[in-house]
């Protein structure tokens, strides 16, 4: 059951709060030279819906339904033909139409809120948008009737602080999976049998859920953890040295949430047991339904797709394959077990795309899951004749003019051996794959993480690693979030605390940061290495990946038109070309934060990381062999808009029969119009925007050299030139941190975003039959037309920050009187809580 009006105060929680509070207020390290004034927040009207199906006995019988339009005086009759009912209540017009409900308030403090539009099942029962009657509730809200049902839209005044408790409650009740936080499916049950309606704010309503793994558990949880850390620090400062008991409990609640989520992310760097800082993308317990395999065997097919390993630890566990050279240890540490890749679609057929225009058939030129030659050679030392990898056992992944191309994928079955890569679900204990990749396990998970697990997962005082199934092939998304959270937890959660639990956390953050950074810099390869013996599919920061053949392209005449082609006139942009500016910032932030975090525990390596970081500011980046990893990456970070334009123009060129697009020959390709107008905002990767936030946050708050800081800010300014139109506090507050002297940042629009953020991030289908907005063509990465400005968050589909907020994706299919409001999918409120609490801590906003 959800908490209301604050936090639960228990004896244990109160005792904890008293223990952790400092003797004196710890003042935050605010930004020097800040010229902005905090935006004073206020309580604002917040939409709260209750849904009644037609015929419900709970619909009040005293409602005075209005079915006339006489109150509508400010619009001519020629444009009101679809209006069905109008209520004028305290100066606010509620206008029911055949396609939704409008609220018009000419006295709104923000002109963008004068007209608010409500349609689809979020606001009108079952998505029946034909309003048949309206009734005032006498409190600023409205009752809305359609043929399918009745919705009560209450408008109570709430502060953002009040609203934050809803997001916290949902995490605690249904979105927390052993400390990891992201969206989930839910069931809502009303325990009051006298209420025949669905009200998610009901004091007697209960949310239930079974959260499952997501593709980037660590990234989403890192966002939540960072928000909780800033919540903890902001509340400490606000409530001072002698907080009241309720305030003490709130501080303790924030600390507990911050610590739990931080531990959950940190755990991902230990679940593999590899002992080298490898960050798993996610993990499951074997008892989870999504971890089940056919026949409950590691040889059986697992429907949860991805690149998963199952641990096998114990004295009787023997590795059926050798250990590839890069995963062997020479410090005397022996293996305690091994992990075996599970049979999934990805493990069987993810051959990947080629990375380098300069060519090469080596598997290192593919971003799939094929094994490196060094790994194959080492494994073959342990394999008998007739079972040699790449000779006897291999999978066909394509054909060239010289014949078939083969790779050794992590799983090869009798059906895929020497045949095409495909999904084979027939394997099992009696039909084992011919080859299943393994990785060594060198260490147990530290006991520090035991409290995240149920008792059934603890054996002899340790987490039972044989119940762990972890997801490898870690992306840069994960690494991005991990470093930002390590830095935030180290600096703001731990700080100079002497609390034993936080000191242990500090030690583990130092160890993990050191291990992961060493893994990235190993042999100067600048990537996260997996059990395949090569980089994971996306965690790459090496120069050739970004710039292969760039020197050749710059010599071609087409380059003058921002088109990257080779001597033959063919697209020659490397696979990672457009990722360069983002990934440059990522690895710079990793090095800078690592140098800061490990300064005391690994001083020599801290100095090494700082030198590697400084190389990013050393002139230009490599454009041809020999590529120098890390050199000049700051210059590459400042190529963000330029590389978007080049990729966009090159796509348009390819769509236009290998001709530069002009006004005279322009076809109808996706990129044509934007290319003609140099409109790079139509080639935005909104996921990259979100990822770019994390390294910029690290760098603008950690870099003290004025010259370098200015270059970092200049790089972010390019990103913000699109982000500004999103009016999103996630980006706006970071921009203010990057420009503490600016006094003209549009903080009010960012605050409005928070005001209009829905209390419940339920993924209702969205209706887009609107005439009050203008539309533009789809972007390169989208299938739907776009609005020409960002609608308020409560008028569009629920998204994280990694989707296009302008996309017009009409999801409703008409009225559904049987719409089930008791089940659905809901996102975590991290996209609210992180910017909100960060803004509170850095005094950008003030309650």
């Amino acid at each position: 059951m959800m908490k209301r009006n604050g936090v639960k105060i228990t004896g244990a929680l109160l005792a904890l709060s008293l223990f952790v509070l400092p003797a004196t207020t710890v003042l935050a390290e605010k930004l020097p030279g800040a010229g902005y004034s905090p935006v004073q927040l206020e309580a604002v009207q917040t939409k709260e819906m209750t849904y009644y199906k037609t015929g419900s006995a709970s619909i009040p019988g005293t409602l005075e339904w209005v079915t006339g339009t006489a109150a509508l005086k400010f619009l001519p009759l020629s444009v009101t033909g679809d209006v069905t009912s109008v209520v004028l209540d305290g100066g606010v017009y509620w206008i029911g139409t055949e396609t939704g409900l409008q609220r018009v308030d000419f006295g709104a403090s923000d002109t963008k809120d004068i007209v608010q539009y409500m349609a689809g099942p979020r606001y009108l029962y079952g998505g029946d948008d034909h309003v048949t009657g309206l009734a005032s509730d006498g409190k600023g809200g409205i009752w809305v009737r359609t043929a399918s049902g009745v919705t009560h839209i209450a408008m109570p005044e709430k502060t953002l602080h009040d609203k934050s408790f809803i997001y916290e409650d949902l995490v605690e009740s249904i979105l927390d999976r052993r400390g990891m936080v992201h969206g989930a499916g839910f069931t809502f049950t009303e325990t009051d049998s006298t209420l025949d309606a669905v009200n998610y704010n009901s004091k007697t309503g209960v949310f239930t859920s079974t959260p499952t793994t997501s593709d980037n558990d660590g990234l989403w949880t890192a966002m939540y953890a960072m928000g909780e850390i800033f919540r903890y620090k902001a509340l400490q400062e606000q409530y001072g040295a002698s907080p009241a008991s309720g305030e003490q409990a709130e501080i303790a609640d924030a600390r507990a949430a911050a610590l739990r989520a931080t531990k959950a992310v940190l755990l991902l760097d230990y679940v593999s047991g590899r002992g080298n800082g490898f960050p798993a993308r996610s993990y499951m317990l074997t008892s989870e339904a999504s971890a089940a395999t056919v026949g409950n065997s590691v040889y059986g097919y697992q429907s949860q797709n991805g690149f998963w390993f199952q641990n096998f630890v114990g004295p009787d566990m023997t590795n059926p394959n050798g250990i590839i050279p890069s995963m062997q240890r020479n410090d005397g540490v022996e293996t305690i077990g091994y992990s075996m890749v599970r049979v999934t679609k990805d493990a069987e057929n993810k051959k990947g795309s080629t990375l380098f225009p300069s060519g090469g058939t080596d598997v290192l030129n593919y971003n799939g899951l094929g094994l490196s030659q060094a790994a194959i050679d080492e494994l073959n030392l342990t394999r008998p004749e007739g079972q040699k990898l790449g000779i006897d056992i291999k999978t066909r992944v394509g054909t060239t003019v010289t014949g078939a191309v083969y790779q050794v994928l992590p799983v090869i079955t009798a059906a895929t051996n020497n045949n095409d890569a495909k999904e084979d679900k027939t394997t099992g204990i009696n039909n084992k794959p011919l080859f299943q990749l393994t990785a060594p396990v060198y260490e147990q998970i530290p006991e520090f993480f035991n409290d995240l697990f149920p008792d059934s997962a603890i054996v002899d005082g340790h987490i039972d690693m044989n119940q762990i199934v972890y997801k490898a092939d870690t992306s840069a998304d994960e690494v991005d979030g991990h470093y930002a959270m390590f830095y935030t937890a180290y600096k703001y959660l731990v700080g100079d605390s002497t609390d034993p639990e936080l000191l242990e956390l500090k030690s583990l953050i130092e160890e993990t940061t050191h291990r992961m950074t060493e893994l990235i810099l190993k042999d100067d390869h600048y990537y996260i290495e997996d059990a395949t013996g090569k980089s994971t599919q996306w965690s790459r920061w090496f120069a050739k990946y970004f710039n292969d053949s760039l020197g050749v392209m710059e010599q071609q005449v087409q380059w003058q038109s921002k088109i990257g082609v080779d001597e033959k006139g063919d697209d020659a942009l490397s696979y990672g070309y457009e990722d360069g500016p983002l990934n440059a910032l990522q690895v710079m932030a990793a090095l800078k934060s690592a140098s800061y975090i490990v300064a005391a525990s690994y001083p020599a390596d801290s100095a090494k990381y700082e030198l590697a970081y400084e190389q990013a500011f050393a002139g230009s980046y490599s454009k041809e062999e020999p590529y120098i990893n890390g050199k000049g990456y700051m210059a590459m970070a400042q190529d963000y808009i330029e590389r978007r334009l080049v990729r966009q123009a090159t796509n348009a060129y390819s769509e236009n029969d290998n001709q530069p697009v002009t006004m005279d020959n322009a076809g109808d390709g996706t990129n044509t119009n934007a290319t003609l107008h140099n409109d790079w905002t139509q080639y935005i990767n909104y996921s990259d925007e979100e990822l770019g936030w994390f390294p910029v946050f690290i760098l603008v708050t950690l870099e003290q050299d004025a010259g370098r800081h200015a270059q970092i800010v200049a790089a972010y300014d390019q990103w913000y030139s699109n982000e500004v139109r999103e009016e999103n506090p996630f980006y706006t507050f970071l921009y203010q941190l990057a420009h503490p002297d600016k006094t003209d940042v549009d903080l009010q629009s960012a605050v409005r975003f928070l005001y209009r953020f829905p209390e419940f991030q339920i993924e209702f289908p969205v209706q887009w039959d609107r005439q009050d907005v203008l539309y533009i063509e789809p972007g390169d990465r989208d299938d739907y037309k776009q609005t020409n400005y960002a609608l308020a968050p409560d008028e569009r589909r629920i998204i994280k920050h990694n989707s296009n907020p302008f996309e017009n994706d009409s999801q409703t299919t008409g009225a559904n009187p049987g719409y089930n409001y008791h089940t659905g999918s809901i996102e975590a409120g991290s996209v609210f809580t992180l910017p909100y609490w960060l803004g509170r801590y850095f005094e950008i906003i003030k309650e």
Side-chain angles (χ1 to χ4, degrees), residues 279-538:
R281 197 164 189 159
S282 183
Y283 81 95
M284 302 181 287
L285 292 178
T286 53
S287 58
E288 294 182 52
S290 52
T293 60
V294 176
N296 294 317
S297 162
V298 71
Y299 307 111
Y301 182 83
Q302 176 186 286
S303 60
Q304 179 72 46
N305 194 29
F307 189 40
W308 294 86
F309 286 81
Q310 179 175 352
N311 285 329
F312 296 92
V313 174
D316 299 325
M317 303 298 183
T318 57
N319 186 356
N321 284 296
I323 300 174
I324 63 173
S326 58
M327 301 190 77
Q328 294 175 358
R329 297 182 64 156
N330 55 12
D331 57 359
V333 175
E334 300 290 337
T335 59
I336 62 172
Y338 66 95
S339 56
M340 178 177 284
V341 73
R342 286 193 155 194
V343 184
T344 65
K345 179 180 179 180
D346 273 354
E348 292 184 283
N349 68 9
K350 198 164 190 176
K351 61 183 181 180
S353 303
T354 54
L355 301 178
F356 312 127
S358 60
T361 58
D362 188 274
V363 73
L364 292 173
N365 188 28
Y366 292 87
N367 72 340
L369 297 179
L371 275 64
S372 70
Q373 191 59 50
I376 294 169
D377 293 343
E378 184 70 19
L379 295 176
N380 277 340
L381 297 176
T382 65
R383 300 184 72 87
E385 294 298 325
Q387 298 182 29
K388 298 294 186 181
L389 301 176
I391 301 171
D392 307 305
I393 298 176
K394 57 188 184 297
T395 301
R396 187 167 59 216
V397 296
T399 303
T400 67
V401 293
T402 59
V405 177
Y406 293 90
Q407 290 183 14
V408 177
L409 295 171
V411 173
I412 301 178
T413 71
T416 61
N417 185 33
N418 284 283
N419 292 314
D420 292 335
K422 64 180 182 180
E423 187 177 14
D424 181 3
K425 300 181 179 182
T426 67
T427 58
I429 190 67
N430 296 317
N431 180 28
K432 298 178 182 179
L434 302 180
F435 171 68
Q436 270 182 283
L437 180 65
T438 60
V441 175
Y442 289 107
E443 63 182 10
Q444 285 276 1
I445 299 171
E447 295 177 34
F448 183 72
F449 300 103
N450 281 14
D451 63 344
L452 295 177
F453 288 81
D455 291 343
S456 59
I458 307 297
V459 176
D460 296 329
H462 290 280
I463 298 164
D464 181 10
M465 295 192 71
N466 293 322
Q467 297 186 42
I468 297 290
V469 182
Y470 68 88
K471 191 174 188 179
D473 192 31
T474 301
S475 70
D477 306 25
E478 282 294 320
V479 178
D480 216 19
H482 282 227
Y483 274 102
M485 195 213 66
F486 294 163
Y487 163 66
T488 304
Y490 192 83
K491 182 174 183 178
Y492 299 103
L493 177 59
V494 177
D496 57 2
S497 173
T498 58
D499 175 0
E501 187 175 26
L502 292 182
L503 289 177
E504 187 171 2
L505 175 68
K506 178 181 181 181
S507 177
L508 289 171
I509 291 175
E510 291 171 344
E511 178 181 75
T512 298
T513 302
H514 179 253
R515 286 177 169 186
M516 194 187 304
T517 311
E518 288 294 299
L519 185 63
I520 292 172
L521 297 184
K522 181 182 177 182
D523 299 327
D524 193 44
H525 56 32
Y526 274 64
Y527 58 70
I528 293 290
E529 186 175 23
D530 209 338
T532 58
K534 63 174 192 171
S535 70
T536 63
Q537 184 173 11
W538 296 111

Side-chain angles (χ1 to χ4, degrees), residues 7 47 67 74 93 101 133 136 167 197 232 240 278 319 408 414 440 444 485 502 510 643 646 740 796 798 830:
V7 297
K47 300 182 183 75
T67 58
F74 63 89
Y93 291 88
L101 174 70
S136 170
Y167 309 123
Y232 172 56
F278 178 81
N319 186 356
V408 177
Q444 285 276 1
M485 195 213 66
L502 292 182
E510 291 171 344
R643 292 200 177 208
V646 170
R796 64 186 192 221
I798 297 299
S830 309

Side-chain angles (χ1 to χ4, degrees), residues 534-778:
K534 63 174 192 171
S535 70
T536 63
Q537 184 173 11
W538 296 111
S539 289
R540 300 188 186 92
W541 301 276
F542 55 92
K544 184 174 182 177
Y545 176 59
F546 309 128
N547 303 317
D548 188 57
S549 295
L550 186 53
V552 173
M553 289 184 283
E554 290 180 342
Q555 300 304 313
Q556 311 309 312
V557 66
Q558 291 91 336
W559 189 256
Q560 298 173 19
S561 301
K562 300 187 184 302
I563 297 169
V565 296
D566 58 21
E567 300 94 329
K568 298 178 181 179
D570 296 327
D571 185 340
L573 294 176
S574 66
Y575 196 95
Y577 173 79
E578 65 184 278
D579 294 334
L582 169 61
N583 288 34
L585 291 170
Q586 287 176 346
V587 75
M588 288 170 60
L591 293 168
K592 187 65 174 176
S593 58
S595 177
Y596 169 77
I597 290 170
V598 307
S601 51
Y602 305 92
D605 288 327
S606 172
K608 178 178 70 176
Y609 303 155
E610 186 65 26
L611 286 173
Y613 168 74
E614 291 174 357
Q615 187 172 234
F617 296 88
S620 300
Y621 53 86
S622 307
K623 298 181 180 180
E624 57 189 16
E625 299 284 0
Y627 294 95
I628 302 175
N629 294 329
K631 180 178 181 295
Y633 274 21
M634 187 70 254
M636 187 160 61
Q638 293 179 338
D639 283 350
Y640 173 65
I641 292 178
E642 180 70 13
R643 292 200 177 208
R644 291 282 180 212
L645 287 170
V646 170
R647 179 70 270 178
Q648 178 176 265
T650 306
N651 284 355
Y653 164 89
S654 299
E655 294 167 354
N656 201 44
D657 296 325
N658 281 13
Q659 294 292 322
V661 172
T662 67
M663 292 297 293
D664 295 328
N665 70 5
D668 57 358
T670 305
N671 297 272
T672 297
N673 195 42
T675 299
L676 286 172
H677 296 92
N678 273 335
D679 184 4
W680 64 277
T681 65
Q682 298 309 301
Y683 195 79
I684 292 292
N685 183 329
Y686 287 92
S687 180
D688 282 1
E689 280 197 341
E690 179 177 56
L691 295 176
W693 188 96
F694 296 94
V696 171
F697 168 72
I698 293 172
L699 293 170
V700 299
T701 56
L702 195 51
E703 178 56 74
Q704 299 300 309
D705 180 87
R708 292 177 186 165
H709 191 276
Q711 293 182 64
I712 294 163
V713 170
Y716 182 58
D717 285 353
Q718 294 188 42
W719 294 73
Y720 191 70
S721 60
N722 177 69
E723 293 166 352
V724 64
R725 66 193 184 107
E726 300 174 40
E727 301 182 343
N728 187 330
F730 187 63
Y731 304 119
T732 305
F733 292 171
L734 178 60
Y735 184 74
Q736 184 71 85
L737 294 182
H739 295 276
D741 57 324
K742 273 185 171 288
T743 59
D744 59 350
V745 179
D746 187 7
L747 298 177
Q748 290 290 350
S749 290
V751 169
R752 172 182 174 263
F753 183 105
L754 295 172
Y755 285 151
R756 295 288 300 274
F757 200 78
E759 290 183 323
F760 297 91
Q761 293 287 285
I762 295 171
E763 296 177 321
F764 288 119
V766 177
Q767 193 260 61
W768 280 87
D769 187 8
R770 298 182 63 158
Q771 302 173 31
D772 62 329
V773 295
L774 296 176
Y775 298 103
I776 60 176
E777 65 185 357

